[in-house]
Amino acid sequence: MSNPNAAASIKEQNKSAASSLLKKNVRKFLNNKLAVFGLVVVVIMTLACIIGAIMGVDYATPDLTNMKAAPEAGHIFGTDTIGRDLLARVLIGGCYSILIGVFCAVLSSVIGAALGAIAGYFGGWVDGVIVRISEIFQAFPQLVLVMMLVAILNQRGLGNLLFIFVVTGWMTTFRMVRNEFMSLKNETYVKVCEAFGMKRSNIMFKQILPNVMSPIIVSTTTNVAFFILQEASLSFIGLGVADSTPTWGNILNAAKSVSVVTNQWWIWVFPGLAISLFVLAINFFGDGLRDVLDPKQQ
């Protein structure tokens, strides 16, 4: 019979070790000033956008008497080419842009992790088929796929963009998880689980995958910035979401005119600053997470 006191002691030691590791990681993260700065900026900007949406700021009503008005007390960020308040549009645009970045990063990571786990664990023809599929998707640039979808559906929309980003964005996570699984599936604890007849799905997703979560979390975080930049680029050239949806990229779309760039600087400076600051903060935060979670950085 097992000794209950010994089992309780081992459990307590495991809890203590986990608590000690958590405290160590938190201290290491807090010592990284750029990572802390990135986290603070991301939280503040996200909360500001959410609060603006909850308060129902008016971002769509044009004021024809105040078109292209410079920043002033009534319009802190000024107004756009048809008189809409730019601060309200930046706040609401942030909700859409951040939603696009987070949704696409999380969903593409889930798909990439699942396919990477299957390919890496089973290997053989299963691995070969999934790798060939990933190579096919990589052969088509996102811009080409978006243009094709817009031409087929004859419309631009948020759903179209989300679909394209998720379909074309899972390959990086897939390759990373696949490589980790190909290495970890030969570990002793995996062989023991197989010997005891544990289901393969449980071995993959309950035993091996938790050991790969750290790089997946870091990758997902940095992918948020990537998708925000992709949306801004596509919307700027008129291939992103519909003009009625005020993403940061759509707001910048008005700055394609040379007269706006030279004479109404606020129309492109403030949304451009919002994109740059948020993406920079996300990258700082992601680098901090990598330093803490990646065993290779320990």
Side-chain angles (χ1 to χ4, degrees):
M1 294 180 62
S2 60
N3 189 337
N5 293 330
S9 176
I10 293 174
K11 187 176 182 180
E12 193 65 31
Q13 289 176 2
N14 291 337
K15 286 184 177 180
S16 177
S19 175
S20 176
L21 179 62
L22 176 62
K23 291 179 180 178
K24 177 184 176 182
N25 288 339
V26 170
R27 283 196 302 268
K28 186 173 183 179
F29 182 84
L30 293 177
N31 288 333
N32 188 331
K33 303 304 180 184
L34 286 177
V36 174
F37 168 78
L39 176 60
V40 170
V41 170
V42 167
V43 171
I44 290 175
M45 292 185 68
T46 302
L47 286 178
C49 293
I50 293 174
I51 291 172
I54 293 174
M55 292 177 61
V57 293
D58 186 3
Y59 66 91
T61 304
D63 183 359
L64 300 182
T65 61
N66 275 318
M67 293 189 299
K68 301 179 183 179
E72 55 184 8
H75 301 285
I76 300 177
F77 284 7
T79 61
D80 65 5
T81 54
I82 60 175
R84 294 172 296 191
D85 185 75
L86 204 55
L87 174 58
R89 292 185 65 76
V90 169
L91 290 175
I92 301 301
C95 291
Y96 283 105
S97 292
I98 295 171
L99 171 65
I100 291 170
V102 172
F103 177 86
C104 294
V106 171
L107 194 56
S108 61
S109 291
V110 170
I111 295 173
L115 293 177
I118 294 171
Y121 182 77
F122 289 101
W125 67 269
V126 175
D127 178 45
V129 169
I130 300 178
V131 169
R132 295 294 88 77
I133 293 173
S134 71
E135 290 174 349
I136 291 173
F137 279 110
Q138 285 180 305
F140 293 92
Q142 285 183 340
L143 179 59
V144 174
L145 289 175
V146 171
M147 293 174 66
M148 290 171 56
L149 196 60
V150 170
I152 294 171
L153 300 178
N154 198 28
Q155 65 177 2
R156 295 158 50 200
L158 181 60
N160 298 345
L161 201 66
L162 294 176
F163 175 76
I164 291 296
F165 281 174
V166 171
V167 165
T168 60
W170 54 270
M171 276 74 75
T172 301
T173 305
F174 163 75
R175 290 195 301 269
M176 178 183 63
V177 173
R178 171 181 173 269
N179 293 337
E180 291 290 338
F181 262 72
M182 293 182 73
S183 173
L184 293 174
K185 71 179 181 180
N186 295 317
E187 293 291 330
T188 303
Y189 72 92
V190 176
K191 297 302 181 182
V192 170
C193 292
E194 293 173 343
F196 277 97
M198 184 179 291
K199 292 182 178 179
R200 290 181 173 180
S201 59
N202 289 340
I203 296 175
M204 286 190 292
F205 298 112
K206 292 184 178 180
Q207 302 299 323
I208 304 179
L209 189 60
N211 295 314
V212 193
M213 285 306 297
S214 295
I216 292 176
I217 292 172
V218 174
S219 175
T220 303
T221 303
T222 53
N223 279 342
V224 172
F226 170 76
F227 285 119
I228 289 176
L229 286 176
Q230 288 292 92
E231 181 278 323
S233 301
L234 290 170
S235 295
F236 180 75
I237 62 176
L239 290 175
V241 299
D243 293 333
S244 58
T245 305
T247 64
W248 284 334
N250 264 344
I251 300 171
L252 274 175
N253 185 272
K256 289 193 297 184
S257 169
V258 176
S259 62
V260 171
V261 173
T262 55
N263 299 319
Q264 288 85 39
W265 56 268
W266 57 90
I267 294 179
W268 58 270
V269 164
F270 290 117
L273 281 176
I275 295 173
S276 301
L277 186 58
F278 192 87
V279 168
L280 191 64
I282 281 285
N283 286 327
F284 285 156
F285 178 55
D287 287 342
L289 281 181
R290 180 180 293 107
D291 292 341
V292 171
L293 299 177
D294 190 351
K296 298 177 183 178
Q297 301 290 334
Q298 300 294 334

